[in-house]
Amino acid sequence: MAFTNDSRGFAFSCDDAKMSICVSTWNTRLAQIARVIGPILIMTGSLPDPEYISQTLGKRPRGIFIIANTDARKEASVLKTRFPDVRIALHDNNNAKVVLVSPDTVWVSSADFGKTTRIESAVGLHSSAVFKKIQESLFHKLWAEAIKIS
């Protein structure tokens, strides 16, 4: 049976995907972000360990947009102070764990954006169509509803 588009999601096919199991970290997955020209869009429930997150953001502290849950207000404020050019917003219902790296990389993870000690997994794929669809139907929608940190 094939997946279909409906009000809860969209079907897609992809020729280049990777399942990351228990070994990769956000810092490793985003090791090359200094070379990225377009935006990096991050959705996370929490922001565990701002020190660790700072290592990742410090590689390219511009063109990054983060939507975290409102429960992460304290950590979001710490990161905004350290990285004033990083755009951060809080949404009271967000628990998505998705990172979009322009122009076509999508990571969907069980782990929030930051450091974890739990066993986690993630799926990474290269697809400009999936990138654009998630950007439009999920990220932009929540960004418009979120409270921006200034």
Side-chain angles (χ1 to χ4, degrees), residues 42-101:
I42 300 166
M43 299 181 70
T44 185
S46 65
L47 292 163
D49 196 345
E51 293 301 320
Y52 174 84
I53 295 169
S54 293
Q55 293 174 18
T56 304
L57 299 182
K59 295 174 187 174
R60 184 201 143 171
R62 66 196 178 329
I64 298 175
F65 298 78
I66 300 172
I67 302 172
N69 189 281
T70 52
D71 292 341
R73 182 177 306 277
K74 179 181 173 186
E75 295 83 358
S77 295
V78 168
L79 292 170
K80 185 63 176 171
T81 300
R82 288 184 187 164
F83 302 102
D85 292 334
V86 171
R87 307 274 309 273
I88 303 175
L90 301 174
H91 191 285
D92 62 353
N93 206 25
N94 183 53
N95 195 41
K97 294 149 182 87
V98 177
V99 175
L100 305 172
V101 181

Side-chain angles (χ1 to χ4, degrees), residues 127-144:
S127 168
S128 59
V130 173
F131 179 100
K132 289 175 187 171
K133 187 74 172 174
I134 293 172
Q135 180 182 30
E136 293 167 6
S137 64
L138 183 61
F139 190 89
H140 286 319
K141 178 179 181 272
L142 290 186
W143 187 264

